[in-house]
Amino acid sequence: MTVEPCWHKPPCPPAAAPDRDAAVPIAHHPEQGWSLLCNQVLIFDDTGELLPDGTVIAPSRPLVTSAGSAV
C-alpha cells in the first residue's frame, strides 16, 4: 500500500508517533466499530489500534464484565 503524504496543515502525526491518534479521520464506520486515520492507522471503538506496518496496539481501556466490574 502506498501512503500519500498528509495534506492537512499542520500535517498529521505519523503512525509511529505517540500522538498518532490526533490524525484526521478519512474513513469512519461506526456500524463496524473502526475508523481510518490520515496516517493509515486503524482505530477501533474498543481503543485498540492497527498500525500500517501490522503492529497491533492492545485496547487501553479496561474491559467490563457483565456483572459491571472491571477486569
Side-chain angles (χ1 to χ4, degrees):
M1 170 193 284
T2 302
V3 177
E4 296 295 322
C6 182
W7 63 91
H8 309 286
K9 299 292 183 213
C12 291
D19 60 344
R20 65 183 153 261
D21 294 347
V24 173
I26 58 173
H28 183 60
H29 292 276
E31 73 282 0
Q32 296 176 358
W34 62 270
S35 295
L36 176 65
L37 302 180
C38 181
N39 58 8
Q40 303 303 305
V41 172
L42 275 171
I43 58 171
F44 298 94
D45 288 351
D46 68 355
T47 69
E49 301 176 11
L50 181 61
L51 303 185
D53 67 0
T55 302
V56 174
I57 307 296
S60 59
R61 69 178 188 195
L63 296 175
V64 177
T65 64
S66 59
S69 60
V71 181

